[in-house]
Amino acid sequence: MRDDDLVTLIAVFVPFSLLSIGGGSAIIAGIQHESVAVHGWISSREFIDLFAISRAAPGPGTMLATLIGWKVAGWWGALAASLALFLPSSLLCYGVIKVSNAHKAKRWHKAMREGLAPVGVGLVIAGVISIFRLSGGGLVAAAIAVASAAILTWMPRFPTLGILVLGAATTSALYSLGD
Amino acid sequence: MTAVPDPTAELPVAIAARPAPGLGALFLTCLKIGLLSFGGGLSGWLYQEFVARNRWISDEDFASSLAISQMLPGANVVNLVICMGDELRGLAGSVACVLGFLVGPFFAVIALSALFDSLPDVTMLEAASNGVAYAALGLLLVICLKGVQRATKFPPGLVVIAAVAIAVGLLKLPLIPLVLVIAPVSVALAWRRS
């Protein structure tokens, strides 16, 4: 581990933290450019692999930064990159909700929460549409998603992990049958 | 199997929230989600735990926090646990939620990276992980259904939902400027209603 590696990791990821408006997908291209072309930490091929791993792993997709830090400088690199990516945006978020909650009793605050709720729901629907298109899963994807939602609607106590296992079992079975 | 009536089945949308959970419960809940949320759909997991199962957060607070989380920089779900942690337990709640939420994935990505390097055939694994991702989409659908159901009581809300979904999801308009236009309209509609 070299100290200047850690400093560079922090210097690269802190700005990305504050630029990642709308979530992690906004900064993937930028992270790729910095870590492959500018700093030469990893090859293009390695970047794609790390991206795929960060998607397959549980947790937010931006854990990609953790993996890059790990490749560059081991455990300390992973820690430095993670803190650099998550801490600045988290502090900003906390500040914003503190300011807005200071007016919790006011009528406009209630109207704001009520008015933002349908916007949030619309954004989730938009997210479902884009993930569905990106997945290229077609009818199988739609059927599994609808079935999962139906199970949770009619059996609210059904374990969430069980839903994921059923999904994996279905596509695995289809894959084996297709062989 | 005897049919046990499900106490949560037909309750009205506005259910009284339960007493706020302790810091340990928040940390453990977020740790669990962080470790198990394969295939994305993390806001779907958060909804299941914080709203549907434990009823710590109301449906409407969840959806509005989600909108705020998406507008600010940072991973949406991290911002979302900060909002909910603060609402339930203040600063300590936010810290407990974020730490619990990120510590699992931190080790999981590194472990998975080591595992991938040592696996010769990953096609079966890919098939399985696709299925997980499709099921995770279903978790998000639950939030959509609940939101639409709630909005049927206030039709302008339905119009807002449809407008955002179409503009961002189908027409691919940029999220931030679009929300900056639609959110004030939606808030004004909610203001007139109250």
Side-chain angles (χ1 to χ4, degrees):
Chain A
M1 178 192 70
R2 301 199 315 274
D3 282 351
D4 46 336
D5 276 340
L6 295 185
V7 173
T8 316
L9 278 170
I10 292 168
V12 164
F13 283 111
V14 165
F16 279 128
S17 178
L18 297 170
L19 285 172
S20 59
I21 295 173
S25 47
I27 52 167
I28 297 295
I31 292 178
Q32 180 186 26
H33 180 72
E34 287 288 327
S35 47
V36 177
V38 178
H39 295 284
W41 287 326
I42 46 175
S43 69
S44 281
R45 174 72 228 165
E46 278 177 307
F47 181 85
I48 293 167
D49 286 346
L50 295 185
F51 177 71
I53 291 165
S54 70
R55 285 291 140 131
T62 32
M63 299 307 285
L64 172 64
T66 310
L67 279 177
I68 293 173
W70 165 259
K71 288 277 175 190
V72 174
W75 287 108
W76 287 109
L79 191 63
S82 309
L83 286 177
L85 191 68
F86 288 108
L87 198 56
S89 61
S90 297
L91 291 175
L92 179 71
C93 176
Y94 188 76
V96 168
I97 54 170
K98 269 292 137 195
V99 170
S100 112
N101 282 351
H103 303 277
K104 212 164 192 167
K106 306 234 170 85
R107 185 178 159 212
W108 68 261
H109 190 275
K110 188 167 173 283
M112 184 190 81
R113 300 296 287 201
E114 279 178 11
L116 283 177
V119 175
V121 174
L123 288 173
V124 179
I125 298 177
V128 169
I129 295 172
S130 17
I131 300 169
F132 176 72
R133 281 182 165 176
L134 275 177
S135 79
L139 269 183
V140 176
I144 293 177
V146 169
S148 306
I151 293 174
L152 282 173
T153 304
W154 283 299
M155 287 184 269
R157 301 276 145 199
F158 198 91
T160 312
L161 189 63
I163 297 282
L164 302 189
V165 172
L166 282 180
T170 310
T171 46
S172 303
L174 290 174
Y175 173 80
S176 310
L177 289 173
D179 254 2
Chain B
M1 207 163 71
T2 48
V4 181
D6 182 350
T8 62
E10 290 298 328
L11 288 177
V13 178
I15 312 164
R18 289 187 187 171
L23 292 177
L26 282 179
F27 178 85
L28 287 177
T29 302
C30 288
L31 181 73
K32 175 177 133 188
I33 299 172
L35 278 172
L36 297 181
S37 59
F38 292 94
L42 282 95
S43 36
W45 269 93
L46 290 168
Y47 179 88
Q48 285 298 321
E49 294 295 329
F50 281 78
V51 183
R53 282 156 213 263
N54 290 312
R55 273 182 243 140
W56 292 331
I57 299 277
S58 78
D59 245 301
E60 189 167 82
D61 275 348
F62 183 88
S64 64
S65 295
L66 199 61
I68 296 171
S69 303
Q70 301 225 22
M71 305 254 322
L72 294 172
N76 301 331
V77 282
V78 174
N79 289 343
L80 183 56
V81 297
I82 291 172
C83 290
M84 295 196 295
D86 178 67
E87 192 171 331
L88 293 167
R89 284 275 149 179
L91 177 61
S94 288
V95 172
C97 282
V98 174
L99 279 183
F101 195 59
L102 290 180
V103 74
F106 178 86
F107 291 105
V109 276
I110 292 172
L112 208 65
S113 160
L115 185 73
F116 261 50
D117 289 343
S118 65
L119 278 184
D121 176 30
V122 291
T123 49
M124 185 70 185
L125 207 66
E126 264 172 39
S129 73
N130 279 341
V132 172
Y134 304 156
L137 268 183
L139 299 185
L140 296 180
L141 276 183
V142 175
I143 302 180
C144 306
L145 289 172
K146 279 282 179 193
V148 171
Q149 193 189 16
R150 195 178 53 237
T152 51
K153 296 197 183 76
F154 183 56
L158 281 180
V159 178
V160 171
I161 292 176
V164 174
I166 291 169
V168 178
L170 294 178
L171 306 178
K172 305 272 167 216
L173 298 182
L175 188 148
I176 299 297
L178 185 104
V179 170
L180 287 180
V181 172
I182 293 190
V185 175
S186 181
V187 171
L189 288 169
W191 172 269
R192 283 190 47 197
R193 179 197 184 189
S194 65

